[in-house]
Amino acid sequence: MTTPFPFTAVVGQDDLRLALLLNAVSPAVGGVLVRGEKGTAKSTAVRALSALLPEVAVVPGCRFSCDPAAPDPACPDGPHETGPGAQRPARMVELPVGASEDRLVGALDIERALAEGVKAFEPGLLADAHRGILYVDEVNLLHDHLVDLLLDAAAMGASYVEREGVSVRHAARFLLVGTMNPEEGELRPQLLDRFGLTVEVAASREPDQRVEVVRRRLAYDDEPAAFTARWADEESSVRARIIAARALLPSVRLGDGALRQIAATCAAFEVDGMRADIVMARTATALAAWAGRTDVLAEDVRQAALLALPHRRRRNPFDAPGLDENKLDETLEEFAEQTQEQEQEPTQGPEDDDPGPDGPDGPGGGGGQSPEDDSDGPQGGDTAAQPEAGEGGEPQPSGTGSGEQQPVRASEPFRTKVLSVPGLGEGAAGRRSRARTEHGRTTGARRPQGALTKLHLAATVQAAAPHQLARGRAGRGLVVRRDDLRQATREGREGNLVLFVVDASGSMAARQRMSAVKGAVLSLLLDAYQRRDKVGLVTFRGASADVALPPTSSVDAAAVRLESLPTGGRTPLAAGLLKAHDVLRVERLRDPARRALVVVVTDGRATGGPEPVALAGRAARLFAADGVASVVVDCESGPVRLGLAGQLAGELEGTAVTLDELRADSIAGLVKDVQRRAA
C-alpha cells in the first residue's frame, strides 16, 4: 500500500488545510470544493487527510460500516445486535470521473428481485465511503446526474436505489471533497451551493516556499517511509486535536449575537436561500471547537464567511467567485455593538469584537482566504490584446489596410431560444438536442448490452411469458431468465459542441456593430453554459484564422477571449471556415459521439487572396458534405444590404439570421428552418 504524503508536511495552502480540518471536526459542515490550477497539492492534501482521521468501530462483516453502538435499523445486511465492534482506519474512497450510476449508488440483481423477491444488492462507492471520505477529482467533469445523486446522499446522509418498485436504502454519511480546475469548466450555481465550503488554491510566487515544496517532495519520493516517520509527531498532534475538537463541539455555544452577524453577512452579500446561513453557523462552531473554545467569536464568523460565501455569490458563469473583505468587515463591525450587548461574556473583551485578519492557530489556521476584490484593479479582458495601430481612429473600410482597432466591450447579453442539432444523437448528457440517453422518457426496449441498468418491465414480462410452461412454472411467481431481461431505451437531451466562427475583420470594426456582435455571442455562450455544451472559438482577420479557444467546457474562458478580441484588416472568410473544419475533424477523433453546431458570425464579405468568394464557397460546402448543422448570424448593417451572409448559409446548407432577429428573441423559426433543411 502506498504511504500517503503527510498532511502536516504540505507547504502553505493554509485555507485548504483549514477547510479540510473543519470538516474532519464537523462533517455536518457539508464538505469542501477545492478550486485551483493544476499542480497545487489539491489531491495530495485530500489523500493525506484520511491518515489523520480517528479509527472507526464497525459491525464485523457489515458491508455498510454500521456503528456497533448504534447500528442502522434499515441496513441491508442487518438487523445487527448492539455490542463491541472491530476497529478499522477511516477510508478514503475515490469516485472516478467515468463512473456509472450503478458504481456510485450500487445495483440490484433485477433477475432475482423479479423471480424470487430477494433484494440482492451490491453496494457502491457511497456505501464504501460511509463514515469516511469520498473524494471526487475533477468534479466539474462529472456528469450532472451523478453530481446530483452524490450531493443528495451527502445532504440526506443516506443513499436510495430504486429499480422498478424494488428499493434499497442504506446510510451514507461521509466527508465530501471535490477538486476542480476552473479552466476545464465550472459547476453550475445550484451544485456549487451544495458544497459547504470552497477554497481557491494557487502555487506560491515566493521562491523560498517553492524551494521547500520541491525539497520535501523529492525527499518523500526517495524514501516515503522515512519521510513520513519524520512527521509522525506532528501528525499525531493534529490527530489528537481533531479528536479533542470533536469532543468539545457539542459544548460550543453559538450566541444570538453571532447568529445576527451571520444573518446580516449573508443578507449583505445577497446570498440566495438559507443554506449559506446554516453552513456559516456550523463552520463558525467548528472553528471555535478547533481553537479549543466554547464560544463563537466574531473572528470565527469572519473566517466562516471567507470559506462559505465566495462560491455562493456566483450568479452566472461569467461572475468570478470572491468576497469583498472590506464590505465583510463593515458588516461585522456594524453588528459588533449588538453582539457585545447581547453576549456579555466575562471572557470576551472589547478587542474580541474586532475581527482580525487571522483565523485560529495551528495547521491551516492562518489568515483565511484572500479572494480578489471585484472592485480593485482592471478586469483581465481590459488589458489583453492591446491594439497595435488605429487607436481612437475610425474603422477602416472592408478589405483595406491592416489596422487593428481597440477591443470594445460586449453589449448587454440577452436570453436566446434553443438552437438545436437535428436528428437523434448519442452524445454526453446535456440540454440542447434530442438524444438516446440513460435518463429521459422511455421510448422502447432492447436486449441489454452489458449490465442491465434500466429495466423495461412490460417488455421483460412479454419476453418471459411464452416460456412459462416449458420452464415448469408451478406457483404464482414468473420464471424469469437472463435472456428475458429487456433494457429500456430512453430519449433525453445531449450537450453539443458549439463552435463559434467570428469575423473580426475591418468590416466588423465599427464599435457599435462589434459591441452588438459580442453581445450576441455572449448570449449564445450563456445559453451553451446552461445546456451543458462544449464551446470553441475561431476568429479570422487580416490574412489568417486563429483558434482563439480550443473546444472546452469552460464558457468563462470563451467569454474572456471574446472580450479582448481585436478587430481590423481584411476578411479571410475561407481561412476561418477551413480552420473551423479542421477543429471539428480533430474533435471528432477525441469525442466521436458529440455532435457539433457551427455558428458563423459575419457579414458574409470575403476579401484577400485570389478568388476569395469562390474559396469561401468551397470551404462552406465541406461542412454541408459532412452534415454539420450550422447557423450564420448576419451582421450586415446599413440601408444597402448585399445578402452575402444568406448566400453563405446556402452553401453551408444552414440557416441565416440577422443580429436584429437574434436580439428580438425570434429564433423559434430559425430552429424549425434548421430541422426542415436537414429532413
Side-chain angles (χ1 to χ4, degrees):
M1 181 176 178
T2 304
T3 304
F5 192 90
F7 186 84
T8 51
V10 175
V11 179
Q13 308 298 7
D14 291 341
D15 294 330
L16 170 58
R17 293 191 292 160
L18 177 61
L20 292 172
L21 289 169
L22 292 177
N23 275 272
V25 171
S26 175
V29 166
V32 186
L33 176 64
V34 187
R35 299 164 45 92
E37 58 195 32
K38 52 188 177 294
T40 49
K42 299 188 298 292
S43 301
T44 299
V46 175
R47 293 188 176 99
L49 179 67
S50 61
L52 293 179
L53 297 182
E55 290 189 337
V56 295
V58 297
V59 174
C62 178
R63 297 174 297 167
F64 302 89
S65 302
C66 279
D67 185 351
D72 181 7
C75 176
D77 285 355
H80 301 300
E81 297 279 337
T82 57
Q87 296 286 328
R88 66 159 176 79
R91 292 174 180 160
M92 193 200 73
V93 177
E94 294 194 43
L95 174 62
V97 169
S100 65
E101 181 179 335
D102 286 345
R103 183 72 185 100
L104 176 63
V105 301
L108 288 170
D109 188 329
I110 301 297
E111 185 177 357
R112 292 188 63 191
L114 288 176
E116 305 172 28
V118 176
K119 295 181 182 178
F121 181 68
E122 183 65 30
L125 295 177
L126 292 180
D128 293 341
H130 180 45
R131 305 175 69 197
I133 300 173
L134 182 60
Y135 172 50
V136 189
D137 194 14
E138 306 294 353
V139 65
N140 52 326
L141 303 183
L142 199 64
H143 286 174
D144 282 348
H145 74 282
L146 291 182
V147 179
D148 286 330
L149 289 170
L150 181 64
L151 295 177
D152 284 343
M156 296 186 296
S159 174
Y160 294 85
V161 182
E162 302 282 347
R163 291 289 188 275
E164 301 298 337
V166 181
S167 64
V168 171
R169 173 213 168 272
H170 65 83
R173 293 184 296 275
F174 45 81
L175 193 167
L176 175 63
V177 183
T179 58
M180 59 175 282
N181 185 345
E183 294 177 356
E184 297 172 340
E186 284 285 356
L187 280 172
R188 49 194 167 110
Q190 297 91 331
L191 298 180
L192 282 173
D193 185 54
R194 301 291 290 275
F195 281 93
L197 308 179
T198 187
V199 290
E200 296 276 347
V201 295
S204 172
R205 300 299 184 257
E206 294 293 331
D208 290 342
Q209 195 172 76
R210 296 176 74 97
V211 167
E212 186 61 23
V213 170
V214 175
R215 182 181 291 120
R216 293 186 186 183
R217 185 69 208 189
L218 292 178
Y220 170 77
D221 290 341
D222 289 341
E223 296 182 77
F227 182 83
T228 304
R230 290 200 295 272
W231 291 89
D233 291 342
E234 288 82 353
E235 294 281 287
S236 297
S237 176
V238 175
R239 187 181 298 108
R241 190 172 174 184
I242 292 174
I243 295 172
R246 284 184 174 184
L248 183 62
L249 188 65
S251 303
V252 176
R253 177 176 176 270
L254 183 65
D256 287 344
L259 279 173
R260 287 180 178 274
Q261 286 183 316
I262 290 170
T265 301
C266 293
F269 285 100
E270 300 180 352
V271 177
D272 293 336
M274 295 299 298
R275 186 174 283 118
D277 303 63
I278 296 170
V279 170
M280 275 190 65
R282 290 171 174 166
T283 305
T285 303
L287 280 163
W290 177 247
R293 290 185 269 100
T294 57
D295 292 301
V296 174
L297 306 181
E299 66 189 51
D300 300 323
V301 176
R302 184 181 193 276
Q303 183 69 59
L306 291 172
L307 293 172
L309 294 188
H311 60 301
R312 293 186 165 89
R313 299 194 62 240
R314 184 183 173 90
R315 301 302 181 88
N316 68 63
F318 308 136
D319 289 340
L323 207 64
D324 186 340
E325 293 195 48
N326 292 329
K327 182 177 179 180
L328 173 61
D329 290 336
E330 291 172 2
T331 303
L332 293 175
E333 288 172 3
E334 181 181 345
F335 283 82
E337 293 184 3
Q338 296 182 26
T339 302
Q340 193 173 17
E341 292 173 0
Q342 295 178 11
E343 295 189 3
Q344 309 238 333
E345 297 291 339
T347 59
Q348 182 174 342
E351 295 83 9
D352 294 331
D353 288 333
D354 182 17
D358 298 326
D361 297 331
Q369 183 178 346
S370 299
E372 293 184 5
D373 187 342
D374 294 342
S375 62
D376 294 338
Q379 299 295 320
D382 296 337
T383 58
Q386 293 297 324
E388 300 172 357
E391 290 189 16
E394 294 297 325
Q396 298 185 15
S398 172
T400 63
S402 59
E404 183 174 304
Q405 307 300 320
Q406 178 79 21
V408 298
R409 287 188 175 276
S411 62
E412 191 68 23
F414 53 90
R415 187 173 183 83
T416 67
K417 292 184 180 178
V418 184
L419 290 169
S420 62
V421 178
L424 193 64
E426 296 182 345
R431 294 187 175 183
R432 182 171 297 279
S433 305
R434 295 173 54 226
R436 299 182 186 91
T437 60
E438 288 294 320
H439 300 271
R441 64 185 181 89
T442 301
T443 58
R446 61 174 173 80
R447 291 182 180 273
Q449 299 171 351
L452 178 71
T453 55
K454 301 291 183 182
L455 178 73
H456 194 296
L457 183 58
T460 299
V461 171
Q462 186 176 6
H467 308 290
Q468 296 306 294
L469 186 61
R471 292 173 183 174
R473 174 183 171 184
R476 298 175 60 187
L478 190 68
V479 181
V480 180
R481 302 282 170 80
R482 183 162 297 276
D483 289 344
D484 302 328
L485 299 179
R486 294 295 182 268
Q487 174 86 24
T489 57
R490 303 194 174 198
E491 182 178 311
R493 293 280 170 177
E494 67 176 0
N496 298 118
L497 167 59
V498 182
L499 183 62
F500 295 94
V501 185
V502 180
D503 184 350
S505 65
S507 64
M508 304 285 290
R511 295 184 67 86
Q512 184 175 2
R513 185 194 300 184
M514 199 61 200
S515 177
V517 167
K518 287 187 176 182
V521 177
L522 197 63
S523 303
L524 292 169
L525 280 173
L526 278 167
D527 182 68
Y529 167 79
Q530 293 166 349
R531 302 189 185 282
R532 319 290 184 264
D533 295 318
K534 292 180 71 173
V535 296
L537 179 62
V538 173
T539 63
F540 57 94
R541 56 181 289 272
S544 63
D546 297 305
V547 181
L549 183 71
T552 175
S553 297
S554 176
V555 295
D556 303 56
V560 171
R561 303 292 172 88
L562 178 70
E563 189 70 24
S564 59
L565 179 66
T567 57
R570 296 183 180 275
T571 311
L573 177 57
L577 294 174
L578 290 173
K579 180 68 72 174
H581 188 269
D582 190 54
V583 169
L584 293 183
R585 178 183 59 80
V586 174
E587 195 63 20
R588 270 195 293 269
L589 297 175
R590 293 175 179 169
D591 191 357
R594 189 182 292 269
R595 297 185 296 164
L597 174 65
V598 176
V599 179
V600 185
V601 185
T602 181
D603 56 10
R605 290 180 172 85
T607 60
E611 300 183 343
V613 177
L615 283 175
R618 286 200 291 270
R621 287 191 287 275
L622 292 175
F623 291 87
D626 290 342
V628 177
S630 59
V631 174
V632 178
V633 179
D634 184 359
C635 303
E636 190 176 29
S637 60
V640 179
R641 296 175 182 261
L642 302 178
L644 298 176
Q647 296 176 23
L648 175 63
E651 299 281 6
L652 289 165
E653 295 187 7
T655 303
V657 57
T658 67
L659 271 178
D660 291 338
E661 291 169 340
L662 196 64
R663 292 191 59 83
D665 203 18
S666 57
I667 310 178
L670 168 64
V671 180
K672 295 177 182 178
D673 288 343
V674 172
Q675 294 173 339
R676 184 172 59 250
R677 287 173 180 266

